[in-house]
Amino acid sequence: MIQRKNTPRSHISGTTGTDIEIGESVRVCVRSRPLNEKEISSGDTSCVSVVNPQTLQLNLKSGSKNFRFHQVMGENYTQGQMFSDSGVHILLDSVLDGYSGCVFAYGQTGSGKTYTMAGVEENLGKQDYVSNETDGIIPRSISYMWQNMTRRKEQYYVKAAFMEIYNEQLRDLLNPSSGVLHLRWNIKSGFYVENMLIVDCTNIDDLIMVLHEGIRNRKTSSHELNKDSSRSHSLLLIHTISEEKNEDGHSFKKYGKISFVDLAGSERLKESKSQGVMIKETGNINKSLFMLGKVISALGDKKKVKPHIPYRDSKLTKLLMDSLGGTSKALMIANISPASAYVEETMSTLNYATRAMNIKNKPVIQVDNKEQIIFNLKREIQLLKLENEYLKDQLSRINGSLPPMMVDVSRSRSLSAKSQNGKLPPIANPPHIQSTDNILEEYNFEIKRYKEENLQLKSSKEIYDKQTHMVLEENQGLIQKLNNLEHVFSGISNTSDKTVSQYTVTNLLNENSSMKRQISKIEQDRAYSRGREGAKSAQNVSEVGDAMQLRQMNTQLQKRIEFLQKREKDLLEHLMKFQKEKGVA
């Protein structure tokens, strides 16, 4: 266990299980080595040129072709520049935050994959190893991770394993005597190697020793193309467990993992002049790389919506399943030879690297299932608390500003006696939880009580909304009655005897017009208040004031309507009497 300093840090945003919904592309870098002595002596020339940091040009007999990648590293790149510009350190930071990551080198034999990943193997395999400028990605990553772990506030536990795939068989490089290992699968872990030795690393020296031991036991051979050709695919796995205590005292663990994969190189038997056992090795290497190429091609094909991905066709693709199209972050370093004699192999590598850029992964933070449930419940409680406070504030504003008449109406609308005046019934305290194992029960109890309280608040708010709606409907009905009366009096005003009714009708029309202007003004004020509803929290106070004004106006309108109906009756009787007298005369 490593003790950490309590220094603040910024976390990568994301939630468990659904961090990056649209996916994250596999990062692809291309590295070209210099021409070696044999290639120079045979008169080979370079067919590769770096146009800019993202563009590489391949010169063919038929012309030149450009390829674009996230980063292009030419022959003059040092190991240190390669580590910083490839973006490995960003991937390592994500691993310390609980993500899974994978770095793998791809390319033909002799293109510099092992040098890129590890450095000079003879130096790494020495007992008196001293770090120097030739160190590759793996030793530099070990140093970077350990330094960053000491700066973080979490406590970290580190474990490591080293294995290889040789002739389509799994071998433990930390325990070679264990023989052939078996690849298993389950729902929780996916594909995993059964009975593989996993070493606890309490300091950086333990992790370096794992690297040294694995490199010493790895299968290498010499042939015409490479005097130290890797005859197997090697995988170094580093697991990190970070533990951090929350505000409530409960620890929260995240499980990170980084895989460093140094692939064996593809080769042509005619040029490598492999014989005997090496012929079988070469066949198995080319077969597994061929299947890896099929997986990359299927994942990178944008035309197919749901293509079949042949993960299960080789052990290599099974172990890389999570890194290619899965939940892991991935970095591919495509190593190429600049020699014109190998332009076909270089073209093949660049084509596969281009397809790999189209692969989308969906990285997620790896946590324990129980802790994930606790995290989700705590987040739900927080959201319910925010909703609860908002509803309390809104109901308090509504009931606090209602006059006695409105409060009585709201009480008559089945509002519980315990929730009058914005006060809710007291919530009983949850039972005392003695054991931390019952934390889920405690969270569920708290979520349940917040939901019950929020339902009460929403019910009270709905009562107010219904009441306001009824007042508005009543107002519309009164306006309709006024329009009908105005129509009647307008018809009467057109009768032949204007001397009898002119004064009365004119006054009534003026009164009606005045009342309609008042009603129109109230409607405009109410619409303006509603328009500001989303911008100010005091919306309910304004609506309540409008509702009171509407009720008062409704009372006046009702009195006016009764007066107008009486006047209408008197006027009609007067007209009938007048017409009768006129007929007699």
Side-chain angles (χ1 to χ4, degrees):
M1 182 177 72
I2 306 170
Q3 297 296 329
R4 311 283 150 236
K5 297 178 182 179
N6 293 325
T7 55
R9 68 181 180 90
S10 60
H11 294 270
I12 296 177
S13 62
T15 57
T16 304
T18 55
D19 291 321
I20 305 178
E21 297 180 358
I22 60 174
E24 177 179 305
S25 298
V26 173
R27 180 175 173 83
V28 178
C29 302
V30 174
R31 189 183 194 189
S32 175
R33 64 164 174 79
L35 290 169
N36 57 34
E37 295 179 0
K38 182 180 178 181
E39 292 165 345
I40 294 174
S41 63
S42 63
D44 251 331
T45 58
S46 176
C47 63
V48 172
S49 57
V50 179
V51 178
N52 57 53
Q54 286 78 41
T55 307
L56 180 140
Q57 186 179 78
L58 182 63
N59 300 311
L60 307 167
K61 292 182 180 180
S62 59
S64 61
K65 184 176 182 180
N66 288 349
F67 295 85
R68 286 190 61 83
F69 301 99
H70 292 100
Q71 185 70 36
V72 175
M73 296 171 280
E75 60 182 40
N76 296 323
Y77 254 71
T78 65
Q79 294 284 69
Q81 289 175 324
M82 181 273 305
F83 180 82
S84 60
D85 290 356
S86 65
V88 178
H89 59 286
I90 300 175
L91 185 62
L92 297 174
D93 288 335
S94 298
V95 170
L96 295 180
D97 284 323
Y99 289 94
S100 292
C102 177
V103 182
F104 66 100
Y106 183 90
Q108 76 172 105
T109 186
S111 58
K113 297 185 300 300
T114 300
Y115 180 73
T116 296
M117 294 299 292
V120 180
E121 289 188 294
E122 294 87 346
N123 183 42
L124 289 172
K126 293 179 180 178
Q127 292 290 344
D128 55 348
Y129 159 77
V130 178
S131 177
N132 58 41
E133 68 277 1
T134 65
D135 284 346
I137 285 177
I138 298 176
R140 291 175 185 272
S141 296
I142 290 174
S143 177
Y144 180 87
M145 288 178 66
W146 214 270
Q147 290 177 6
N148 274 13
M149 283 189 290
T150 58
R151 297 190 185 105
R152 296 192 175 210
K153 62 182 179 180
E154 300 98 329
Q155 290 183 339
Y156 280 90
Y157 303 86
V158 180
K159 297 181 180 182
F162 210 160
M163 63 178 171
E164 70 175 355
I165 304 174
Y166 175 69
N167 280 339
E168 277 299 292
Q169 293 180 335
L170 293 167
R171 297 175 64 247
D172 192 341
L173 293 176
L174 301 182
N175 185 21
S177 61
S178 61
V180 177
L181 302 179
H182 298 285
L183 194 61
R184 306 297 187 192
W185 184 88
N186 61 34
I187 296 177
K188 180 179 180 182
S189 305
F191 288 104
Y192 68 98
V193 181
E194 188 178 39
N195 298 325
M196 182 173 60
L197 178 61
I198 301 177
V199 179
D200 290 324
C201 301
T202 57
N203 54 60
I204 191 172
D205 293 332
D206 292 341
L207 206 48
I208 293 293
M209 286 303 299
V210 168
L211 176 60
H212 292 176
E213 184 69 18
I215 288 176
R216 281 197 296 268
N217 294 326
R218 188 180 179 189
K219 291 286 184 180
T220 59
S221 296
S222 176
H223 55 63
E224 289 294 318
L225 293 177
N226 188 359
K227 67 176 182 177
D228 293 313
S229 175
S230 300
R231 311 306 294 165
S232 65
H233 310 297
S234 70
L235 294 90
L236 172 63
L237 308 177
I238 300 177
H239 300 265
T240 63
I241 304 175
S242 62
E243 184 175 6
E244 181 180 4
K245 288 189 176 181
N246 299 326
E247 296 178 356
D248 55 5
H250 297 286
S251 61
F252 188 75
K253 293 181 181 179
K254 291 180 287 188
Y255 301 86
K257 183 184 73 172
I258 181 72
S259 304
F260 297 99
V261 184
D262 181 14
L263 299 173
S266 61
E267 59 192 47
R268 288 180 284 189
L269 287 173
K270 181 179 179 180
E271 295 192 8
S272 64
K273 296 181 181 180
S274 299
Q275 296 179 355
V277 176
M278 289 184 66
I279 294 178
K280 181 181 178 181
E281 293 174 351
T282 301
N284 284 317
I285 290 170
N286 289 342
K287 177 183 177 182
S288 61
L289 290 174
F290 174 71
M291 298 314 304
L292 175 61
K294 287 184 65 177
V295 168
I296 292 174
S297 296
L299 289 169
D301 191 348
K302 294 182 178 180
K303 296 180 180 179
K304 294 183 179 180
V305 179
K306 291 183 178 180
H308 169 68
I309 313 299
Y311 289 116
R312 295 178 177 269
D313 290 352
S314 73
K315 290 183 171 61
L316 175 63
T317 51
K318 287 178 182 178
L319 291 172
L320 292 180
M321 182 176 177
D322 190 51
S323 303
L324 297 174
T327 58
S328 173
K329 294 172 177 278
L331 167 64
M332 175 184 180
I333 300 178
N335 292 86
I336 59 174
S337 168
S340 56
Y342 306 119
V343 65
E344 292 182 9
E345 288 82 354
T346 299
M347 171 70 83
S348 176
T349 299
L350 293 176
N351 284 334
Y352 277 126
T354 301
R355 292 190 186 100
M357 293 178 65
N358 295 327
I359 298 174
K360 295 287 187 180
N361 291 348
K362 294 184 179 180
V364 297
I365 296 177
Q366 304 294 330
V367 298
D368 184 80
N369 288 336
K370 179 180 177 182
E371 291 174 347
Q372 180 176 347
I373 293 172
I374 292 174
F375 174 81
N376 293 337
L377 289 175
K378 291 177 69 176
R379 184 171 60 176
E380 185 177 359
I381 288 173
Q382 184 63 29
L383 292 174
L384 286 170
K385 283 182 178 179
L386 293 174
E387 182 185 14
N388 185 273
E389 291 300 322
Y390 172 79
L391 291 171
K392 279 185 177 180
D393 179 70
Q394 296 302 306
L395 193 60
S396 176
R397 290 178 180 275
I398 292 171
N399 287 338
S401 61
L402 287 176
M405 179 185 68
M406 294 295 286
V407 174
D408 290 338
V409 173
S410 63
R411 289 176 183 174
S412 65
R413 299 290 184 181
S414 72
L415 184 62
S416 171
K418 293 183 179 181
S419 61
Q420 292 174 9
N421 301 322
K423 296 180 181 180
L424 293 166
I427 299 175
N429 293 325
H432 182 62
I433 306 298
Q434 299 290 342
S435 172
T436 56
D437 292 337
N438 293 327
I439 187 170
L440 295 179
E441 180 182 348
E442 180 180 354
Y443 285 148
N444 284 323
F445 182 88
E446 190 170 358
I447 288 173
K448 181 179 179 181
R449 66 172 184 150
Y450 273 115
K451 284 183 176 179
E452 290 176 352
E453 183 174 350
N454 289 353
L455 285 175
Q456 294 179 11
L457 290 167
K458 287 179 179 179
S459 176
S460 301
K461 183 68 165 57
E462 288 175 359
I463 291 172
Y464 163 75
D465 292 337
K466 289 179 180 179
Q467 184 181 22
T468 304
H469 182 69
M470 291 173 61
V471 172
L472 293 176
E473 287 184 344
E474 185 178 355
N475 180 56
Q476 291 295 331
L478 292 173
I479 292 175
Q480 185 64 37
K481 289 183 179 180
L482 282 176
N483 289 335
N484 294 337
L485 286 174
E486 181 181 358
H487 177 72
V488 171
F489 283 111
S490 296
I492 294 175
S493 63
N494 292 327
T495 57
S496 59
D497 191 11
K498 295 183 179 180
T499 57
V500 179
S501 58
Q502 185 67 43
Y503 177 78
T504 302
V505 171
T506 300
N507 285 341
L508 289 175
L509 290 174
N510 289 338
E511 288 176 352
N512 290 350
S513 298
S514 176
M515 284 188 287
K516 287 185 66 175
R517 285 194 299 270
Q518 293 178 22
I519 292 172
S520 177
K521 184 177 182 304
I522 292 173
E523 288 293 326
Q524 291 175 1
D525 291 343
R526 183 177 62 80
Y528 176 73
S529 298
R530 290 244 172 137
R532 300 175 59 189
E533 188 173 32
K536 295 183 179 180
S537 61
Q539 55 187 359
N540 292 304
V541 176
S542 176
E543 289 185 357
V544 169
D546 290 344
M548 286 303 304
Q549 292 181 13
L550 286 172
R551 279 193 166 275
Q552 294 174 358
M553 182 55 65
N554 288 345
T555 303
Q556 296 177 4
L557 289 173
Q558 190 63 43
K559 292 180 179 179
R560 287 291 184 185
I561 288 172
E562 292 176 357
F563 170 75
L564 289 172
Q565 289 175 339
K566 185 176 183 299
R567 294 286 294 272
E568 178 190 15
K569 183 180 179 181
D570 292 342
L571 182 60
L572 290 174
E573 291 178 351
H574 182 77
L575 287 173
M576 290 176 64
K577 182 178 180 182
F578 175 78
Q579 291 176 353
K580 184 178 180 181
E581 291 176 352
K582 186 177 180 181
V584 173

